[in-house]
Amino acid sequence: MASSAPASAEEGLAAFASVISVYEHRVGHACRAVASYLPPLLKSFPAVGGTVLDNACGTGAATQEFLKVYPSAEVSAADVVPPMVQSFKAIIALDPGLVAQVKDLRVENGETLTYVDNSFDAVLTNFGIFFFPDPVAGAKQIYRTLKPGGTAVVTLWKTFGFKPILWEVQERVNPASPLTELPLMEPWCDPKKLEK
């Protein structure tokens, strides 16, 4: 089987940016569904107020689900993909609650966050860390930006059971096309990598 993979982080970002128009329909709903389970994991988050970073925010699914449980929190959000940030800005503009609660939304690399140390009571990285070319650097940034006693929630796929289906569709639609690989994502399905 032939395979294709982005040759560089820049190509990977360009590919991700190119699908923004169909993102919510194809995968955004799954990110949103998982994001609805994040707030209960934040047992030490302040009942009133509090600060959260939605890291690798995409179109804001984690922020929106988080604010359903913690409506008085202040949210900062960042994503390295400019069209994702633009899409989230458009969503915010249509929702007065988001306008009031999302204090900062920026294009920023999760591996080199510019937020000051000890800024957030929680950092949410919902289906994002495995896209980082250097996820260890991203994890260090998550830790650095958390307040002492803060909580980080990082989600990822447990398995890639959809890959055989994707390959079958690709072979039927365009048999000459190389099969899609997920080189940045697949290692994160290994429990030993997660423990490390």
Side-chain angles (χ1 to χ4, degrees):
M1 285 184 202
S3 66
S4 66
S8 68
E10 290 78 23
E11 287 180 21
L13 288 174
F16 207 79
S18 71
V19 299
I20 187 64
S21 64
V22 294
Y23 172 82
E24 192 67 29
H25 175 70
R26 289 188 180 168
V27 294
H29 63 284
C31 294
R32 188 171 306 282
V34 170
S36 70
Y37 291 94
L38 303 183
L41 300 174
L42 302 171
K43 296 181 184 342
S44 65
F45 197 83
V48 177
T51 56
V52 65
L53 171 61
D54 186 353
N55 185 27
C57 66
T59 58
T63 290
Q64 292 171 30
E65 295 302 320
F66 174 82
L67 287 173
K68 289 177 183 176
V69 178
Y70 297 103
S72 65
E74 290 189 3
V75 177
S76 294
D79 199 295
V80 72
V81 182
M84 288 288 190
V85 172
Q86 289 304 318
S87 180
F88 190 18
K89 282 183 180 178
I91 290 166
I92 291 169
L94 298 174
D95 184 331
L98 289 175
V99 170
Q101 299 314 119
V102 179
K103 303 299 183 184
D104 177 44
L105 173 58
R106 57 176 86 166
V107 174
E108 188 155 300
N109 187 330
E111 298 172 354
T112 56
L113 295 172
T114 59
Y115 297 100
V116 298
D117 294 358
N118 308 318
S119 294
F120 302 105
D121 296 296
V123 177
L124 309 175
T125 308
N126 190 33
F127 294 119
I129 199 161
F130 46 70
F131 288 116
F132 296 2
D134 185 352
V136 173
K140 288 178 180 177
Q141 289 296 307
I142 291 168
Y143 182 75
R144 181 189 64 76
T145 59
L146 276 173
K147 292 178 181 177
T151 303
V153 179
V154 179
T155 62
L156 33 104
W157 299 110
K158 184 176 181 180
T159 65
F160 286 100
F162 60 85
K163 201 161 93 170
I165 297 167
L166 174 64
W167 284 352
E168 184 178 335
V169 169
Q170 282 185 283
E171 286 177 338
R172 288 183 184 194
V173 173
N174 189 355
S177 175
L179 297 176
T180 299
E181 289 292 342
L182 306 166
L184 295 175
M185 300 167 95
E186 289 180 279
W188 289 93
C189 293
D190 179 0
K192 290 178 183 164
K193 178 167 182 80
L194 297 177
E195 289 172 11
K196 181 182 172 190

